């Protein structure tokens, strides 16, 4: 499929403004970086440039029927992409029903990824949070840090690489922030004999240099892009759109147009399924609280999804408050964002008055994304899940605390969830079973920690 400039701009545009005309909803405009492209007549594909005025954000849809979580999600993409997404969806659904695919995936998860991951009782951390009467919750860590590559990312990367192969694609394109998704994708591609190109922002390359080296070692071509993860994602999408027929875009988290959020969630939900089984075996009942950090939402949903229907299980997501919510320098999309469209889906989004993206910031580089999972956006609106934030400093403290108390080095991303234990634990009844998703290991963050001015405890 030919990739023209307009198509590319439309895909990376993050906001679509709609005006209702009679009974039909028409896309009126797409904001692309600093420009706004406006449809001059409803229904035409003719786009003209316009000056930006404060847009009226409403839902708009090109395919309302699928991939919706309440008002969130959808497929906000140009028509030329619809076929491609439909093909992917068909392949994903057929893989789900294919027992051979499921068996191959189960083997890979067991022998390659190292599943199941342990549900570890953090005894000293539990004691640390006991009150003066010796009461407090019991804290367990779901050890995704022990997965191959050091994070939950591989659960999804290996499964999608298998889908790419089923579709006959020879190369895989992906974007990475902290580099965990890049490493997981590069590893999965090496295992399956696929070519792999990873786009990474120059800022992130400096911060997460060990992962950059690992990706190269695993045989991936790494393309540097000025900026950070959001810039790398846009560039990776542009690149992929030029080679759609032979390459596969491997999403790292539960964002993007349908079926991406559902597909990634499906592949990550193994985390919650194992947690239920392990909890039942060990305690004979479900955990009472599930806690996970939220970047774009895949490790959180991976843990939560299995329990969404169990209303007696609290689901708590923790976003990066960076230098503090009031500083404006954070990645708390659910806490502080407004609804908008970005990279093909409707979700909460960090944007300014004019609908331009606000740069996210977190010391957990993997949390820096202006959008967030449409499904988590929905769980926020319905009140099914609760969302809080932890600052850079709180995450750094939690990182070091886990190192000292348990001898486990958590990723700075996961440290945001751990940091929230400070506020959560005093509010919980004695013996409450809390499962924290330890989404990854923090070896990659050691240099950053020691370069950081707050490294003393
Ligand atoms: C990528 C990453 C995250 C953030 O991504 P989610 O999609 O929110 O899970 C969190 N923790 C680790 C260790 C990561 O690598």
């Amino acid at each position: 499929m030919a990739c023209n400039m307009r198509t590319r701009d439309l895909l990376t545009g993050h906001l679509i403004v709609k005006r209702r005309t009679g009974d039909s909803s028409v896309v009126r405009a797409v904001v692309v970086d600093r420009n706004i492209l406006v449809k001059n007549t409803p229904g035409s594909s003719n786009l003209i440039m316009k000056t930006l005025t404060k847009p009226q954000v409403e839902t708009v849809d090109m395919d309302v029927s699928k991939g919706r979580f309440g008002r969130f999600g959808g497929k906000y993409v140009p028509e030329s992409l619809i076929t491609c997404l439909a093909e992917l969806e068909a392949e994903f659904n057929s893989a789900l029903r294919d027992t051979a695919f499921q068996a191959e995936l189960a083997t890979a998860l067991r022998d390659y990824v190292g599943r199941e991951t342990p549900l570890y009782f953090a005894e000293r951390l539990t004691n640390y949070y006991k009150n003066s009467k010796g009461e407090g919750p019991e804290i367990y860590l779901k050890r995704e840090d022990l997965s191959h590559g050091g994070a939950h990312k591989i659960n999804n990367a290996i499964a999608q690489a298998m889908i790419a192969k089923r579709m006959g694609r020879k190369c895989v394109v992906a974007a990475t922030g902290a580099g965990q998704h890049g490493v997981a994708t590069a590893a999965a591609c090496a295992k399956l004999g696929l070519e792999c190109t990873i786009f990474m922002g120059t800022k992130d390359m400096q911060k997460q240099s060990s992962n950059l080296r690992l990706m190269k070692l695993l045989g991936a071509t790494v393309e540097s892009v000025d900026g950070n993860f959001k810039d790398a994602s846009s560039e990776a999408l542009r690149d992929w759109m030029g080679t759609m027929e032979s390459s596969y875009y491997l999403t790292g988290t539960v964002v993007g147009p349908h079926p991406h959020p559902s597909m990634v969630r499906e592949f990550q939900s193994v985390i919650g399924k194992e947690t239920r089984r392990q909890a039942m075996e060990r305690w004979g009942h479900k955990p009472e609280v599930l806690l996970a950090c939220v970047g774009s939402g895949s490790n959180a949903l991976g843990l939560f999804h299995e329990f969404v229907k169990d209303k007696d299980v609290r689901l708590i997501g923790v976003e990066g408050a960076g230098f503090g919510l009031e500083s404006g320098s954070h990645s708390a999309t659910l806490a502080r964002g407004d609804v908008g469209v970005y990279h093909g889906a409707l979700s909460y989004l960090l944007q300014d008055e004019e609908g331009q993206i606000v740069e996210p910031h977190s010391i957990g580089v993997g949390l820096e994304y202006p959008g967030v999972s449409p499904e988590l956006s929905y769980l926020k609106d319905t009140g099914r899940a609760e969302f809080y934030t932890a600052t850079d400093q709180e995450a750094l403290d939690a990182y070091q605390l886990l190192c000292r108390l348990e001898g486990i080095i958590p990723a700075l991303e996961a440290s945001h969830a751990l940091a929230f234990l400070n506020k959560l634990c005093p509010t919980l009844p004695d013996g409450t079973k809390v499962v924290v998703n330890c989404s990854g290991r923090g070896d990659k963050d050691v240099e950053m920690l020691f370069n950081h001015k707050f490294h003393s405890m």
Side-chain angles (χ1 to χ4, degrees), residues 151-153 180 253 293-300 366-367 411 413-414 439-440:
H152 67 293
K153 297 287 199 310
Q180 289 302 118
T253 186
C293 68
V294 176
S296 308
S298 72
N299 86 88
L367 304 183
E413 292 82 4
S439 55

Side-chain angles (χ1 to χ4, degrees), residues 144-145 150-153 177-181 211 252-255 264 268 293-301 364-368 372 376 410-415 437-441 444-445:
E144 292 304 299
D145 57 310
H152 67 293
K153 297 287 199 310
Q180 289 302 118
H181 177 55
N211 277 340
T253 186
V254 280
V255 298
V264 178
Q268 290 294 359
C293 68
V294 176
S296 308
S298 72
N299 86 88
L301 268 178
V365 178
L367 304 183
E368 288 182 322
V372 70
L376 286 183
L412 273 173
E413 292 82 4
S415 302
N437 197 352
C438 188
S439 55
R441 67 171 187 238
K444 67 183 176 63
D445 300 315

Side-chain angles (χ1 to χ4, degrees), residues 94-105 166:
S94 102
L96 285 184
R97 290 188 303 265
D98 179 353
T99 48
F101 178 90
Q102 291 302 333
E104 194 187 332
L105 179 58
R166 269 173 83 92

